[in-house]
Amino acid sequence: MTTIEVDENEYGSWTVFRVRGEMDLVTSPRIRRRVHDAVAGGRHDLVIDLSAVRFCDSSGVGVLIAARRLLRSCGGRLRLILPEDRDGHVGRVLTALGVRRLFEVYEDVPGALTGTPEPTGTPDLADVTVPRQQVTDRIAP
């Protein structure tokens, strides 16, 4: 069974999607729609946390590339979370396809929010900005 969960939080000008599960042909359109909805809502700075994604196929990679293109076209920014100690499947796929270099990659959410490539500890996210909204979206065929 293919499943995906997406939690959405706002930290100042940044919208953070925490993705868990599998990004494949069935679930990738849901991620694409969430990115488009964020941009349509005027949110142009996006972090996609992929640290809990177990599987990503070419349709998942396509969503990430399309999100980068969309955000760049409107003057926005896209940052990905791929922890080095758990680079895992998504990092390997992006590297194997030669597209990882297209993205700003960070170890964790606080680093992505501040633009710090290497974490200097575990900053409290409340010091960045308190989230205004949380939305959870789940699909399971």
Side-chain angles (χ1 to χ4, degrees):
M1 177 184 339
T2 300
T3 61
I4 195 155
E5 295 178 19
V6 181
D7 294 331
E8 180 178 333
N9 292 290
E10 292 183 26
Y11 299 93
S13 68
W14 290 94
T15 299
V16 177
F17 291 148
R18 292 176 194 244
V19 182
R20 292 180 307 282
E22 301 175 3
M23 289 178 60
D24 60 18
L25 187 61
V26 173
T27 62
S28 291
R30 181 68 55 128
I31 303 298
R32 183 183 311 270
R33 173 59 34 214
R34 295 291 292 269
V35 170
H36 282 268
D37 290 347
V39 171
R43 293 173 283 154
H44 298 156
D45 294 329
L46 184 62
V47 174
I48 301 178
D49 182 350
L50 301 168
S51 57
V53 173
R54 297 184 307 270
F55 175 80
C56 181
D57 68 8
S58 60
S59 61
V61 173
V63 166
L64 296 175
I65 291 171
R68 177 183 180 270
R69 187 177 327 121
L70 175 63
L71 287 161
R72 288 174 61 101
S73 73
C74 64
R77 297 176 286 180
L78 174 64
R79 295 177 177 171
L80 303 182
I81 306 299
L82 293 170
E84 289 300 319
D85 62 333
R86 299 178 300 157
D87 202 22
H89 181 76
V90 179
R92 288 192 308 271
V93 168
L94 294 177
T95 300
L97 294 174
V99 297
R100 183 179 172 135
R101 62 182 169 69
L102 298 176
F103 299 98
E104 289 184 55
V105 176
Y106 293 83
E107 177 96 7
D108 55 25
V109 172
L113 295 175
T114 61
T116 307
E118 294 294 324
T120 58
T122 309
D124 185 4
L125 288 178
D127 291 338
V128 177
T129 300
V130 177
R132 295 186 320 228
Q133 168 186 5
Q134 181 173 7
V135 178
T136 300
D137 194 9
R138 298 172 188 208
I139 66 168

